[in-house]
Each structure stands twice: as structure tokens, then as C-alpha cells.
């Protein structure tokens, strides 16, 4: 994934700074609570929400279970419609393909529609290294790019910034990228949006190459779908002569009809609208309407490794609506940056360690960035059981075991830093298998309860630093049961 | 081995647990969701379209064929545009009452040229009542995708009830994927700054919809 995140500290460490930042917490709380309430209302309008959710789950599951067939079908459809299909096994290959395609046009700048896949592969940085400047055109992505910042939310990447911060970024940074911000720029959202409109319009009108992702690809017809609000997507998808779309291989649906499910569930789950303002659909190229050349780059970059995991593969059903972020008590407090990945929140906590593996400290910590409360599963419009995958990945982090990395079967060793947890679990397993020892231990613990420390020593210190240790009862349950026969004999 | 073969090979190895005789697609996906939400008369469906368009800050007008040219002329005059962009197949009588200069949608025109045009008038392929959505499919009365994008003022005429459907599933049935499609629900909007909705970032900031009684 993006090199931007290399060297990120593990989640608990990164989250501490976020939790201590009252502005950030205020911005996040306002945003997540607002969108959460709106979403519930938008979903309540559809009496068949449960049926749509189940259909979405089954369409995506079926597609993933026969992905090879649908990829070949899609390639044939796109090619027949006048597009060119490229295959990229990893981020480097995808970046190389895009850079080559841009160079072939003779251009040195591109306009971009917001795209999780191109963030994931660090495309902007890779193009910069090749002398190509990529302009983000989504308002929030523009704020992030001008602020030399990182996105913190899948849908509203600048959610961590308030209007005053955005005005300062526009005032100080716009001139270096093109048309400067007006001198008397206020911090009202309408004025800020107008400044972005003027700044970006000159880029749209002269752009000859556009780069996008896609929300859906229809195998049957070769149609690509981009869902957006501002019109920057329409600008990038229709004005340039060349369009390059970088799309993860999991974004396929089999048939045209399948869009009827996702075009109902995605807008209501993401922006809490009946429908987003703009949706563009294109199939290859069309004479004199839109780009004359269309390139589709199909991206693996760890997706086939996730596919090989029978529990974890359900994460590939994700349609990137971000509903799970907005209900997550951990995301709300820790913010998007602490996850150290372009996919933050609950979905990021299961998707990222599968795409990148669990070798690094940050990736090994992500399955723990959750309270397992289950709210993310409840709101997911394709019913991804995020808690199930989190527990599965925790087991992998602690115990190691078989997995697939870059297409090869490997046996993972337990992640570093989890020795104490593993030792504790082994000790617990032994004690539960030896009733005599368990009884003795429990009695000993009860009788010495006045002497127990309030915090744990050694490796347990970090755990007890943020939690109260449970107090032990004066006698173990089993002794109480024997003494009173379950409360029948009075005390 | 090229990347295509490498990725397809990885996919096939990853799916070794999937039985070869698994249920086919048609059986795997139950379609027990609704084709339409609620029971409405045709008139009620058109009313719902008007209501949902307005809820997303489109300006909605209703008229008959006789008064349409005057209505369009009035809207263009109120806007103060000097030129109006027109797709090649727009019925000529729609613009019979305006003397604004007409700019034909020609492939040779640069985006910069179109950016100087204030208003555009188009038809549509279908309109969806439950979501307040207009769909344009590039047919002659609608023109290229860019003409409904660059001018700041878009007037879209919907023939009612012929072009109105209740729901997203009903709309998809009517559309051809081979056409480039643009779905429009209200004017361009963003909620990126503190989730405050602001109309008009890059697309038209004013969307006027005329429901034309056939």
C-alpha cells in the first residue's frame, strides 16, 4: 500500500495522540453523529432493506467465488466496447502501467477523481517521481492534497478538518498549485466551495488525461460505474481524451440488473441520500462523446491473498460506503489516521491486514482496533461480519498459521509483541484443563484480594493503563455453590 | 508468465474450496426485494418525482405542450444567459419563444467554448420518482455528456407520465448499457466541509426540471 504510511506506529500508540486532540475529536464526533442519524432515516424509507442487503451479499459472494470467470468475461466485454484492459499484480506494476499510459499521450499532468484504489497504491507519488503531476479534484481530496495531509475517512477524507482550517489551507497553498484563493476568502462552506470551483475549473477545461477508480464494473456488459456528488467525476470522466481507470478486481458484479441493488444501498449507506447527485456509466468508448481512449487497469495488490482466506474473503464484498466508520466507537475517538492505512475504521481493520499481511507492527495491531461491539456488522449493506473476521485475524496474529502471501502459501509465525498474551492464554488453557489447580488458584486469589495492585506489572502495564482491573469476589463461585447449593441454603 | 495469467492463477488457487457444481448465479441470488416501494397511481408517482426533485433543491415546473415554449423562454430570460446550448435532436418548438443565440452541440467545440455558455436545455431518457433522479442517455434530444455538465444552468424537460418510473429497478430495465449514461439527482453538491451541504461545486449550480404533460 501507499508508502505514505510506512513507519506508522501501531494503532494504540497512534490512537493516543488522536484521543488527546479535542479539535479532532469534536470534528469527528459532529460528523459521524450527523451522518449516522441521516443514514438511519434514509434506510428506513425502504421497507425491503433486509432483502436488498441479502441480495447484495449474495451477488458479491457469488461473484467472488467465481471471480476468474467474471474477470475474463469483463475483459472480453470491455475490449469489445473499445477499451483496453491491463492487469496489475501489485502497486508497483499498476503505477508503472499508468505512468506509461500517461507518457504515451505526451502529457505531464492528469486530473483525478477520488479513488481508494489509487490511494492504496500511492499513484500520485509514483507519478510525481515520473515527472507527472496528479491533481485531486474531489473537494475533500483537494483539501487533503493542498494540506500535505492524509485522508482520514473513506467517504469524506477531510472530515478531520473544520472550516477555519480549510480556509487557512486554501489561502496558503492554492497559489502553488494553480489559481490562488480569493484574497478575502471567508470560512463559510459556500465560499470555500466556490474557491475550489474556480481553482479546479481551469484544470478540468485543459485536461487531456483523466484518472479514476470505479464503484462497479459489470462483467456482462463491460460497463463501469462512478458514483459521486460534486461533478468533478463527470468532468474527469468525460472531458479528457484519455481515461485511465484503476479498479480492484473485487469490484465486479455479474449483470446489469445487479446495479439495481447497489444503486439503492450504496447512496443511502454512504451519504445518507436517496441518490447521490451524479452517477456516470460508460461502456468502452463512444464516438464523439467522452474520451477517445479508455484503459482499465485491473488491480490485485493482495486481493487474491484475501480471497484465499475462507473467513476473511468476505471483506472483499465491501462497496466502500463507510457506514461502519460512522457507527464505530473506536473510529469516532481515534480518528482515521491512527489506522495507518487508506482504509480506516472497522473495514480497514480487516481489509488492510489481509491486503498487506500482518508482518508489521501497525498491521498486527489493526485487528485489535475494535471493541467487537458489532455495530459495524449491523449497518453493513453487504452484511460483512466484521467482528468474525477481526477475531479470526487476532487468532492469526497471536497463533500464526497458514496463509497466502503474494500468491504463495506460507506458514505465519506469531507476531512479535504478542508473547505475553499467548503465554497467558496457554496458562489459562492449562488451568481450565486441571480443575484442582484452578480451584487452588482461585482460592489463593480471593484470599489475597486486598493485596492486589491497581495496575499490572511488566507487559500487562499497557493493558491496565487504560482499564480498571476487575475486583475479585471474596470467595470463588465454585466454593459459594458448594457452601450454599446455589443459594438454596441461606448464607 | 504475464500478470494476467499470474492473477487468474492466484484467483483459481484461492478458490480451491469452491465446489465445481456450486449453484449457478440465477439460483444463488434471491430477488425477493421490491420492484417498487409503495402503491401509487401514475399521478401520485409524478407528484413524488416533483417532491423528491425539489427536496434535493432542483426547481420544478409543470406545464403542457402549448405553454412550454413560453415557460422555457421565461426561465432563460430570468437567468440572463446570452447563449443557450442545445443538443441536435431537441424539438425545435421547445425554443420557439426565445431569441437567445443557440449554440449547437458540436464535437469540435472546446470545453473552454462551452464554458462561456450560460444555459443548456435537454430532454431525458427516464426519471425516477423514489429517488428524484433524471437519467440522460446521450440520445439526440440530450446530446453529449459534457453539455449538461459545463453550463451553470441546466433546464431538463421530462415528459410525464411516459418517461417517469417509480424505482431504480424499473429505470435500469429501460436503459441500454451501451449508451453513456448520466444520472442526475439535484444540482451538483458537496458535503465535504463539516457535512454542510453546498450546491454547485463543479456541475450546474441551478437545475430546473420541467414536467411536461403529454
Amino acid at each position: 500500500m501507499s508508502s505514505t504510511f510506512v513507519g506508522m506506529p501501531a494503532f494504540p500508540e497512534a490512537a493516543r495522540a488522536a484521543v488527546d486532540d479535542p479539535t479532532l475529536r469534536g470534528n469527528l464526533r459532529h460528523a459521524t453523529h450527523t451522518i449516522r442519524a441521516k443514514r438511519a432515516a434514509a434506510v428506513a424509507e425502504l421497507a425491503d432493506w433486509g432483502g436488498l442487503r441479502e441480495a447484495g451479499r449474495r451477488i458479491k459472494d457469488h461473484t467472488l467465488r467465481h471471480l476468474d470467470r467474471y474477470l475474463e468475461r469483463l475483459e472480453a466485454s470491455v475490449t469489445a466496447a473499445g477499451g483496453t484492459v491491463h492487469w496489475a499484480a501489485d502497486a508497483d506494476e499498476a503505477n508503472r502501467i499508468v505512468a506509461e499510459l500517461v507518457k504515451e499521450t505526451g502529457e505531464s499532468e492528469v486530473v483525478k477523481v477520488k479513488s481508494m484504489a489509487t490511494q492504496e497504491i500511492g499513484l500520485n507519488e509514483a507519478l510525481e517521481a515520473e515527472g507527472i503531476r496528479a491533481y485531486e479534484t474531489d473537494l475533500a481530496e483537494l483539501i487533503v492534497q493542498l494540506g500535505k495531509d492524509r485522508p482520514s475517512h473513506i467517504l469524506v477524507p477531510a472530515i478531520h478538518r473544520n472550516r477555519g482550517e480549510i480556509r487557512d489551507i486554501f489561502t496558503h497553498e492554492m497559489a502553488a498549485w494553480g489559481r490562488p484563493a480569493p484574497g478575502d476568502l471567508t470560512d463559510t462552506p459556500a465560499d470555500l466551495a466556490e474557491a475550489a470551483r474556480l481553482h479546479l475549473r481551469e484544470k478540468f477545461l485543459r485536461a487531456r488525461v483523466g484518472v479514476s477508480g470505479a464503484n462497479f464494473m459489470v462483467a456482462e456488459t463491460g460497463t463501469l460505474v462512478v458514483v459521486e456528488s460534486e461533478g468533478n467525476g463527470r468532468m474527469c470522466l468525460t472531458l479528457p481524451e484519455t481515461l485511465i481507470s484503476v479498479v480492484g478486481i473485487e469490484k465486479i458484479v455479474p449483470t446489469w440488473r445487479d446495479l439495481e441493488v447497489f444503486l439503492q444501498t450504496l447512496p443511502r449507506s454512504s451519504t445518507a441520500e436517496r441518490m447521490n447527485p451524479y452517477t456516470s456509466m460508460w461502456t468502452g468508448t463512444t464516438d464523439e462523446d467522452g474520451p477517445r481512449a479508455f484503459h482499465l487497469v485491473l488491480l490485485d495488490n493482495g486481493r487474491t491473498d484475501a480471497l484465499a482466506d475462507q473467513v476473511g474473503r468476505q471483506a472483499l464484498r465491501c462497496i466502500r460506503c463507510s457506514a461502519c466508520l460512522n457507527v464505530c466507537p473506536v473510529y469516532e475517538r481515534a480518528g482515521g489516521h491512527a489506522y495507518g492505512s487508506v482504509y480506516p475504521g472497522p473495514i480497514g481493520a480487516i481489509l488492510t491486514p489481509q491486503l498487506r499481511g500482518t508482518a508489521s507492527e501497525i498491521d498486527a495491531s489493526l485487528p485489535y482496533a475494535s471493541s467487537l461491539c458489532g455495530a459495524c456488522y449491523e449497518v453493513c449493506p453487504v452484511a460483512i461480519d466484521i467482528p468474525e473476521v477481526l477475531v479470526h485475524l487476532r487468532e492469526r496474529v497471536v497463533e500464526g498459521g497458514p496463509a497466502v502471501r503474494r500468491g504463495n502459501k506460507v506458514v505465519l509465525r506469531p507476531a512479535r509483541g504478542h508473547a505475553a498474551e499467548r503465554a497467558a492464554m496457554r496458562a489459562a488453557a492449562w488451568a481450565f484443563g486441571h480443575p484442582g489447580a484452578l480451584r487452588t488458584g482461585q482460592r489463593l486469589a480471593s484470599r489475597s484480594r486486598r493485596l492486589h495492585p491497581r495496575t499490572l506489572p511488566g507487559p500487562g502495564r499497557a493493558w491496565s493503563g487504560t482499564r480498571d482491573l476487575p475486583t475479585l469476589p471474596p470467595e470463588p463461585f465454585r466454593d459459594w455453590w458448594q457452601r450454599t447449593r446455589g443459594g438454596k441454603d441461606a448464607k | 508468465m504475464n500478470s494476467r495469467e499470474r492473477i487468474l492463477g492466484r484467483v483459481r488457487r484461492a478458490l480451491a474450496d469452491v465446489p465445481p457444481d456450486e449453484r449457478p448465479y440465477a439460483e444463488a441470488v434471491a430477488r425477493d426485494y421490491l420492484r417498487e416501494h409503495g402503491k401509487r397511481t401514475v399521478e401520485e408517482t409524478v407528484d413524488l418525482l416533483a417532491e423528491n426533485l425539489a427536496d434535493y433543491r432542483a426547481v420544478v415546473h409543470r406545464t403542457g405542450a402549448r405553454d412550454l415554449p413560453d415557460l422555457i423562454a421565461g426561465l432563460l430570460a430570468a437567468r440572463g444567459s446570452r447563449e443557450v446550448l442545445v443538443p441536435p435532436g431537441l424539438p425545435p418548438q421547445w425554443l420557439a419563444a426565445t431569441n437567445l443565440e443557440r449554440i449547437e452541440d458540436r464535437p469540435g467545440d472546446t470545453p473552454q467554448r462551452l464554458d462561456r455558455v450560460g444555459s443548456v436545455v435537454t430532454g431525458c431518457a427516464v426519471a425516477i420518482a423514489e429517488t428524484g433522479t433524471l437519467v440522460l442517455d446521450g440520445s439526440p434530444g440530450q446530446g453529449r455528456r459534457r453539455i449538461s455538465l459545463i453550463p451553470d444552468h441546466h433546464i431538463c424537460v421530462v415528459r410525464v407520465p411516459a418517461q417517469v418510473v417509480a424505482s431504480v429497478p424499473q429505470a435500469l430495465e429501460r436503459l441500454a448499457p451501451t449508451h453513456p449514461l448520466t444520472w442526475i439527482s439535484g444540482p451538483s453538491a458537496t458535503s465535504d466541509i463539516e457535512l454542510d451541504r453546498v450546491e454547485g461545486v463543479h456541475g450546474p449550480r441551478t437545475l430546473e426540471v420541467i414536467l411536461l404533460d403529454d
Side-chain angles (χ1 to χ4, degrees), chain B residues 81-158:
Chain B
S81 297
R82 292 191 312 278
E83 300 169 325
V84 57
L85 193 54
V86 285
L90 199 78
Q93 68 273 23
W94 287 9
L95 291 177
T98 179
N99 51 15
L100 281 189
E101 190 179 343
R102 282 166 219 190
I103 306 298
E104 297 288 334
D105 166 30
R106 283 185 306 255
D109 282 335
T110 61
Q112 284 84 354
R113 173 69 189 94
L114 299 183
D115 192 34
R116 295 200 294 273
V117 184
S119 299
V120 59
V121 179
T122 73
C124 76
V126 65
I128 308 167
E130 286 180 6
T131 58
T133 304
L134 313 167
V135 187
L136 276 60
D137 72 356
S139 296
Q142 298 152 44
R144 271 171 275 268
R145 286 178 275 174
R146 62 184 193 171
I147 70 163
S148 60
L149 171 65
I150 298 178
D152 205 15
H153 178 219
H154 179 197
I155 299 174
C156 183
V157 179
V158 184

Side-chain angles (χ1 to χ4, degrees), chain A residues 1-39:
Chain A
M1 280 199 196
S2 170
S3 54
T4 331
F5 294 105
V6 165
M8 271 291 290
F11 181 83
E13 206 176 316
R16 190 168 298 128
V19 169
D20 282 344
D21 180 344
T23 307
L24 178 68
R25 282 189 65 167
N27 293 350
L28 283 171
R29 190 185 147 78
H30 167 69
T32 55
H33 282 248
T34 305
I35 202 162
R36 200 191 290 185
K38 277 192 191 164
R39 179 193 174 275

Side-chain angles (χ1 to χ4, degrees), chain A residues 215-227:
Chain A
N215 294 90
F216 305 101
M217 308 186 283
V218 182
E220 171 188 54
T221 60
T223 308
L224 270 78
V225 182
V226 164
V227 167

Side-chain angles (χ1 to χ4, degrees), chain A residues 143-165:
Chain A
I143 295 165
V144 168
Q145 186 172 45
L146 294 177
K148 298 175 191 69
D149 196 357
R150 288 195 310 260
S152 63
H153 189 283
I154 289 175
L155 190 78
V156 270
I159 200 169
H160 57 291
R161 298 287 200 181
N162 61 34
R163 61 187 72 192
E165 295 175 296

Side-chain angles (χ1 to χ4, degrees), chain A residues 299-339:
Chain A
L299 179 70
D300 179 349
N301 202 38
R303 284 160 177 74
T304 48
D305 293 343
L307 192 67
D309 187 316
Q310 291 175 35
V311 177
R313 77 167 56 129
Q314 60 182 304
L316 298 175
R317 293 206 295 261
C318 176
I319 56 173
R320 313 282 189 260
C321 73
S322 73
C324 61
L325 277 59
N326 301 323
V327 297
C328 178
V330 176
Y331 175 86
E332 182 189 321
R333 288 164 180 81
H337 291 148
Y339 294 80

